[in-house]
């Protein structure tokens, strides 16, 4: 099949590298020229909303998917009338807006942090009063990697924010005192076949994912089952096809859905070496209408993001069990330039090396 | 680095797919347009001996390697004066000629089947007399996948051959009554660091590799060590850099070197899923002057070649632990179109499924 991908960043690059061995070919659309994925397929360069460009993009495509989640509803709706688009654009619209997303979760019985829609300063004052401190003010749309977020711990913080921002299209969320953050990556095929990777534990710093370990340590069967049940509800409600990631807070042994991504996800990069079939290959299999591959873990995995500055390549390549993935991007502060996955079959070795690697790469 | 590869078939394709995550980019040279590797890099189309084309090929390259072993000495010598070429062209010249190859093996103390240089019908008659039946007559050069080979079991076979061929540039080899065929894949870095994958057991039919299993069953430590010692002699004698494969007959528990390939090898395709670092990635690391990755096995692996006809994709993808690799080639009798690697962590499961898969795919 010829598969079109909206966005040509590292996710598109890894999707194509995993799909080429299945004889699929790839075409990308991205505003930035010579994007990371362009080494593995043709890239058209331009705006996602340019319908003339979209027409030329889909001319020879069998299916369209995306690696970038802020493609406009206008673009996806235009495309769905002309070509198969997976995951369903409805999922994209929901995840693009934190209010839509939380209402969606709550609507299918999935718990989230308390939240309030904020369209004025009065809304904000009254929401903070109801919720109490600490709480987090976020933009409803286009926020990622911790951008557009304000943690409010006191009246002073609230006053600062009231004096400095425009209070519209925001969401105020209760600050959850969580024990840890986990995510589940799952995938659903066109015929309904569904698979769940093991829960992953995630560590963020400055709002950016730094480390994912899989399987998440000290996770009882009940937590994995609860996560799978929630994911099943989400997949069913959205008539989903493809890979979906849901991030959770774990607080008092319970899962609170934080956000979801209707695409392959950074917390699933370990699956390239650490699972029988990677999230990338399974996403491609799903959108191409093929049978899904096994999602069994292969040993124990830890994924470190490479952020802002390139690592010393030789020192990474010299670590037995370490796998380097660079995205072909120019260094820039807070930019995801690549990741390192460390994998081992031996739990004791894994834990010992994880400490050393964390000291080096976190 | 920008890496040039002479040849753009499936080996070049898998080399590029494994090297892109290390931020290397690839350029290929191959006479056949739109070759399998062209999805993962620019392909120049033309003859390997065209020096003008070679000049334009290497213009922006840091290093040149090859996936096709019959590149002429003329071409590699032309290149070595202008750019780094790994593995060393000397290795290529030796493996291109069965007489050179066997003399090379014997010269460093590595045992082979008995052999005779044949340049006339008299040579042939006298060699068969000395060796006795059965024996095999082969072309010295350009033979692969069993092409250009005649098994002589009797005087009748000899008479047939004497009546039908031109007796020059041939080799007569003793037919070894072997118990099984194994191969070792090894890799040497620019700094001399050397790694050996576990011995692989290979099954051929009609001269074409059909099945490789790794690690080779019932292999004692002594056999692995002997193979590694032989490989070390070869690597040292050739001042080698890159992946090298040596095929052996196992007869009475002893190893007889059959042939070698100074490139990634079909009997090493299982390493994509079945080893910590694939032969493809380690070849790229080696020729790029980087540290080698771990060659530890990950569970048990079996690789089936897909020959002549494409498989039923869905049935392959539905097998847990099966991995499909298609090469983007049009079906044609006896053509290698792809391979399937089956991998399992559990030896009992592996053996059970291996029987079913062998019945289905061998």
């Amino acid at each position: 099949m010829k598969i079109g991908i909206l966005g040509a960043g590292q996710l598109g690059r890894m999707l194509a590298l995993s799909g080429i061995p299945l004889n699929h070919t790839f075409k990308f659309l991205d505003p930035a020229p010579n994007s990371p994925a362009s080494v593995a397929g043709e890239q058209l360069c331009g705006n996602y909303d340019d319908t003339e460009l979209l027409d030329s993009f889909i001319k020879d495509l069998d299916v369209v998917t995306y690696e970038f989640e802020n493609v406009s509803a206008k673009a996806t709706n235009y495309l769905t009338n002309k070509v198969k688009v997976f995951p369903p654009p409805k999922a994209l619209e929901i995840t693009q807006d934190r209010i839509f997303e939380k209402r969606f979760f709550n609507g299918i019985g999935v718990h989230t942090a308390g939240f309030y829609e904020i369209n004025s300063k009065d809304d904000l004052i009254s929401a903070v009063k109801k919720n109490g401190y600490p709480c987090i003010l976020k933009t409803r749309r286009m926020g990622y990697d911790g951008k557009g977020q304000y943690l409010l711990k006191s009246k002073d913080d609230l006053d600062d924010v009231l004096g400095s921002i425009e209070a519209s299209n925001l969401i105020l969320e209760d600050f959850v005192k969580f024990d840890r953050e986990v995510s589940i990556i799952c995938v659903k095929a066109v015929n309904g076949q569904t698979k769940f990777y093991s829960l992953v534990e995630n560590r963020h710093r400055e709002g950016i994912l730094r480390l994912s370990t899989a399987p998440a340590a000290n996770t009882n069967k009940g937590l994995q089952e609860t996560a799978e049940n929630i994911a099943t509800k989400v997949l069913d409600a959205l008539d989903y096809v493809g890979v979906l990631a849901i991030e959770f807070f774990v607080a008092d042994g319970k899962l609170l859905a934080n956000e979801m991504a209707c695409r392959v996800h950074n917390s699933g990069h370990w699956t390239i070496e650490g699972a029988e079939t990677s999230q990338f290959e399974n996403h491609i299999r799903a959108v191409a209408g093929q049978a899904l591959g096994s999602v069994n873990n292969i040993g124990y995995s830890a994924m470190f993001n490479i952020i802002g500055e390139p690592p010393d390549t030789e020192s990474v390549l010299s670590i037995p069990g370490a796998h380097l993935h660079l995205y072909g991007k120019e260094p820039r502060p807070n930019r995801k330039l690549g990741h390192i996955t460390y994998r081992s079959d031996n739990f004791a070795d894994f834990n010992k090396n994880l400490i050393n690697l964390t000291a080096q790469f976190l």
Side-chain angles (χ1 to χ4, degrees), chain A:
Chain A
M1 279 196 178
K2 186 144 190 186
I3 298 174
I5 300 185
L6 297 171
Q10 64 263 26
L11 303 180
R13 176 171 167 118
M14 292 186 276
L15 284 166
L17 292 179
S18 77
I20 287 172
L22 301 177
N23 260 3
H24 300 305
T25 53
F26 292 87
K27 186 154 78 171
F28 304 93
L29 176 59
D30 197 295
N34 301 315
S35 290
S38 61
V39 293
E42 181 193 359
Q43 187 199 330
L44 301 192
C45 205
N47 198 294
Y48 298 120
D49 286 341
D50 177 343
T51 52
E52 242 176 85
L53 185 63
L54 287 174
D55 280 335
S56 115
F57 178 60
I58 61 172
K59 217 170 38 195
D60 52 354
L61 296 180
D62 297 296
V63 61
V64 169
T65 187
Y66 24 82
E67 57 115 66
F68 176 70
E69 56 206 334
N70 286 312
V71 179
S72 74
K74 183 186 158 200
T76 53
N77 288 336
Y78 184 82
L79 289 172
T80 42
N81 290 325
K82 308 197 165 198
V83 64
K84 273 190 284 189
V85 179
F86 296 126
K90 182 183 160 194
L92 208 61
E93 287 173 42
I94 290 170
T95 58
Q96 282 172 2
D97 186 303
R98 294 181 194 278
I99 294 276
F100 292 172
E101 191 174 58
K102 285 209 161 43
R103 281 190 191 137
F104 167 76
F105 278 133
N106 294 172
I108 57 171
V110 174
H111 298 294
T112 62
F115 67 96
Y116 309 83
E117 192 175 338
I118 308 293
N119 287 313
S120 69
K121 295 191 175 180
D122 282 349
D123 281 352
L124 179 55
I125 292 164
S126 119
V128 171
K129 199 167 173 182
K130 271 189 224 159
N131 187 81
Y133 298 101
C135 50
I136 311 180
L137 188 65
K138 299 180 179 175
T139 52
R140 279 177 67 161
R141 301 177 70 87
M142 299 297 279
Y144 67 95
D145 287 350
K147 287 175 194 169
Q149 304 199 3
Y150 306 88
L151 175 62
L152 309 182
K153 286 186 277 194
S154 66
K155 178 90 174 41
D156 283 354
D157 290 343
L158 176 60
D159 289 344
D160 280 356
V161 157
L162 285 170
S164 67
I165 64 155
E166 235 176 296
S168 71
N169 287 311
L170 301 177
I171 177 174
L172 184 82
E173 296 178 13
D174 185 33
F175 180 83
V176 177
K177 288 163 208 78
F178 58 84
D179 303 313
R180 53 183 179 144
E181 294 175 276
V182 298
S183 60
I184 194 161
I185 313 286
C186 54
V187 56
K188 191 169 182 178
V190 169
N191 69 2
Q193 186 193 20
T194 305
K195 303 226 177 206
F196 305 92
Y197 291 90
S198 69
L199 276 172
V200 186
E201 183 167 338
N202 301 315
R203 282 170 200 270
H204 291 77
R205 200 171 65 220
E206 293 156 7
I208 305 177
L209 179 68
R210 304 281 163 160
L211 168 62
S212 293
T213 49
N218 304 317
T219 299
N220 58 34
K221 217 177 137 192
L223 204 70
Q224 177 78 30
E225 277 178 11
T226 305
E228 292 186 8
N229 289 340
I230 291 172
T232 302
K233 281 185 194 175
V234 172
L235 293 169
D236 289 350
L238 296 172
D239 246 330
Y240 203 83
V241 170
V243 162
L244 172 88
I246 311 177
E247 292 182 299
F248 298 99
F249 298 126
V250 185
D252 299 326
K254 296 224 158 50
L255 292 175
L256 282 183
N258 180 30
E259 58 182 53
M260 62 182 186
C262 46
R263 53 167 169 76
V264 289
H265 192 252
N266 197 168
S267 71
H269 290 3
W270 61 275
T271 59
I272 295 175
E273 292 87 9
E276 192 67 51
T277 313
S278 76
Q279 65 165 348
F280 301 101
E281 180 174 338
N282 263 335
H283 184 74
I284 293 301
R285 290 195 193 197
V287 304
Q290 298 181 302
L292 303 180
S294 161
V295 295
N296 287 351
N297 290 74
I298 302 179
Y300 305 90
S301 300
M303 189 246 22
F304 295 87
N305 270 332
I306 299 168
I307 295 171
E309 280 178 48
D312 174 24
T313 302
E314 276 305 282
S315 83
V316 176
L317 294 181
S318 300
I319 301 165
H323 300 270
L324 180 61
H325 297 261
L326 296 171
Y327 306 151
K329 291 157 83 174
E330 288 302 311
R332 195 189 294 165
N334 286 336
R335 198 173 203 203
K336 289 178 183 169
L337 303 177
H339 73 267
I340 299 161
T341 298
Y342 168 69
R343 197 206 70 81
S344 176
D345 287 321
N346 181 295
F347 189 58
D349 282 350
F350 176 75
N351 274 316
K352 195 181 68 184
N353 288 321
L354 185 55
I355 295 169
N356 297 334
L357 294 168
T358 301
Q360 202 175 341
F361 296 116
L362 196 68

